[in-house]
Amino acid sequence: MFDFIFKKDYTKIIRISVGFVLALWVAEIFGLMYSASAGLIALLSIQTTKKETVKTAVQRFAAMTVTFALVFVIFKLMGFSVLSFGVFVLIFSGLCVIFNAEIALPMNTVLASHFWIEQRLDASFYINELLIFLIGAGFGIILNLFLTSKVSNIRKTQNEVEGELKRIFNGLSNSLLNRDNSLLPDKALHELKQTVKSAQNEIRSYADNTFTQDLTYFIKYIDMRRSQIKILYRILNSIKKLNISDDIKLHTEIVAEYFKEISKHLHECNNAETLLKQTDGIMKAFRNSELPKTRGEFENRAVLFQIMSDTEYFLLIKNRFANDLTIEQSYCYWNSGERKSIN
């Protein structure tokens, strides 16, 4: 019921609190007027990711220079009246909307209000406001730049995906050997789908929190596993259609044992070539076997052949992923410059 509470980003709450206090404290040390505004700017500058924080800070800095120029022109010409401040808000908000920089409107309006309240346009007060902005935005950027988001978390999720795949193929095998659809890994397949979805979100989040690391490998890996999951659903549904009888027992056992073989050798660092050769051999054997004698046997054999065809496609997806890796990616993630042909 309260799962949504635990899914919130509580590290952001800590960054906001720490950023506010540090910015306010430093502004106080420098003896700046309206030092609390530095804390508010830090609070508003901290976004979910590093890239968002930097982008927001750049937008607000550009908007600040416009604010300073408008403040000087409008208050010089019209004085420090309610009307003049209204004119500033009208022009500045219009520019923010035109240039899609609405995010800078509240912060810079606050800075403009300082000029209006103090009725000053001298250089020292401009410096005061500039320092308030730089301190606040600076702490927002610094706290997010030190946000911890590690590749090791993604690698851990990858290991979970590999483990769940092994369990699924074992479940498919056990279901065929025992002629029991209740042993089919429906729940495990659903959990795998959710794990891969979570991994995809994690990779996207990390991509927005790094400026140097290329995450192409992880993105392609997750796309590959998502494609394979669709095939697994097809295989699972095909098995449900089987009416396993003695006349296809041998063929069923061959497929079941083959699924166990796949579960043994499933691993991130392989190109599936050996398994593909085994798949081809099994399908040739099926084609060369004695023709079915009954309609039921024919339909069951057709379903088994479809299962093997889908399994072949499942392995081909992995094979293409492996062959598309660059030498650098192989060295970095597979600890080898060669395409491994373990299985």
Side-chain angles (χ1 to χ4, degrees):
M1 181 178 178
F2 299 103
D3 287 351
F4 70 95
I5 296 175
F6 301 102
K7 293 179 180 178
K8 298 297 181 182
D9 181 10
Y10 292 105
T11 61
K12 186 176 180 180
I13 297 173
I14 295 172
R15 295 198 305 274
I16 287 173
S17 303
V18 172
F20 178 87
V21 172
L22 289 176
L24 174 58
W25 178 59
V26 171
E28 284 284 313
I29 290 176
F30 280 97
L32 300 177
M33 299 175 64
Y34 300 101
S35 56
S37 294
L40 291 173
I41 292 172
L43 183 152
L44 293 170
S45 295
I46 295 174
Q47 303 296 314
T48 304
T49 67
K50 296 175 185 177
K51 289 181 181 177
E52 283 179 2
T53 297
V54 173
K55 180 182 177 182
T56 300
V58 170
Q59 283 183 332
R60 286 174 174 160
F61 183 81
M64 182 197 67
T65 60
V66 175
T67 298
F68 284 2
L70 285 175
V71 161
F72 186 82
V73 173
I74 293 172
F75 292 163
K76 270 288 186 182
L77 293 176
M78 300 181 64
F80 296 94
S81 63
V82 174
L83 178 61
S84 64
F85 195 65
V87 170
F88 164 81
V89 172
L90 176 66
I91 296 174
F92 184 66
S93 61
L95 290 172
C96 286
V97 170
I98 291 170
F99 293 101
N100 296 317
E102 293 97 326
I103 196 169
L105 181 59
M107 181 187 297
N108 285 284
T109 302
V110 169
L111 293 179
S113 72
H114 297 166
F115 290 94
W116 183 74
I117 293 169
E118 294 296 322
Q119 299 189 6
R120 290 175 58 183
L121 293 171
D122 54 274
S124 62
F125 196 68
Y126 267 97
I127 292 172
N128 183 90
E129 297 303 291
L130 175 62
L131 289 175
I132 284 175
F133 177 86
L134 293 177
I135 290 170
F139 274 108
I141 292 173
I142 289 169
L143 285 171
N144 257 30
L145 286 178
F146 286 99
L147 175 67
T148 55
S149 183
K150 299 179 180 179
V151 171
S152 59
N153 295 333
I154 299 173
R155 295 303 255 167
K156 181 180 177 182
T157 306
Q158 277 185 295
N159 290 333
E160 291 176 8
V161 169
E162 302 293 327
E164 288 175 22
L165 278 170
K166 290 176 183 289
R167 286 191 291 275
I168 286 168
F169 271 100
N170 271 321
L172 294 173
S173 176
N174 290 333
S175 172
L176 289 171
L177 287 174
N178 293 282
R179 306 184 188 187
D180 186 355
N181 283 352
S182 67
L183 297 176
L184 284 171
D186 299 76
K187 183 180 178 182
L189 185 53
H190 178 70
E191 289 174 353
L192 174 62
K193 185 178 179 181
Q194 295 304 313
T195 301
V196 169
K197 185 177 179 181
S198 298
Q200 186 178 42
N201 293 334
E202 189 173 10
I203 291 167
R204 285 175 179 171
S205 175
Y206 188 76
D208 285 334
N209 278 300
T210 181
F211 297 102
T212 58
Q213 190 152 11
D214 181 11
L215 299 179
T216 305
Y217 173 82
F218 296 113
I219 293 169
K220 287 183 176 180
Y221 172 85
I222 289 299
D223 287 343
M224 179 265 295
R225 291 306 187 201
R226 287 181 64 197
S227 297
Q228 287 184 317
I229 286 171
K230 294 177 183 177
I231 305 302
L232 285 173
Y233 272 109
R234 277 171 27 191
I235 293 172
L236 188 142
N237 289 329
S238 292
I239 292 176
K240 290 178 180 178
K241 296 176 185 177
L242 278 174
N243 181 19
I244 302 175
S245 54
D246 290 337
D247 52 9
I248 64 160
K249 182 181 178 184
L250 178 61
H251 293 80
T252 305
E253 288 177 350
I254 290 172
V255 175
E257 290 301 324
Y258 182 54
F259 281 165
K260 281 196 178 295
E261 187 72 12
I262 291 176
S263 71
K264 290 177 185 177
H265 299 289
L266 264 174
H267 194 273
E268 174 193 355
C269 302
N270 67 61
N271 61 15
E273 286 185 2
T274 302
L275 287 172
L276 279 169
K277 290 176 183 177
Q278 291 177 341
T279 305
D280 185 58
I282 292 172
M283 293 177 75
K284 283 180 180 177
F286 280 8
R287 291 190 191 98
N288 296 328
S289 61
E290 185 180 347
L291 291 174
K293 295 182 176 63
T294 64
R295 179 183 178 86
E297 184 183 356
F298 173 81
E299 290 175 349
N300 281 325
R301 291 262 291 270
V303 173
L304 282 172
F305 195 84
Q306 183 60 51
I307 290 171
M308 287 303 301
S309 295
D310 286 335
T311 304
E312 181 181 41
Y313 187 46
F314 175 92
L315 296 169
L316 276 171
I317 291 171
K318 179 58 186 298
N319 183 253
R320 289 167 186 165
F321 166 78
N323 291 334
D324 286 343
L325 291 180
T326 65
I327 296 298
E328 291 75 14
Q329 288 171 337
S330 295
Y331 272 115
C332 183
Y333 301 108
W334 286 20
N335 298 317
S336 171
E338 298 178 357
R339 304 287 185 266
K340 292 189 179 180
S341 57
I342 298 171
N343 274 282

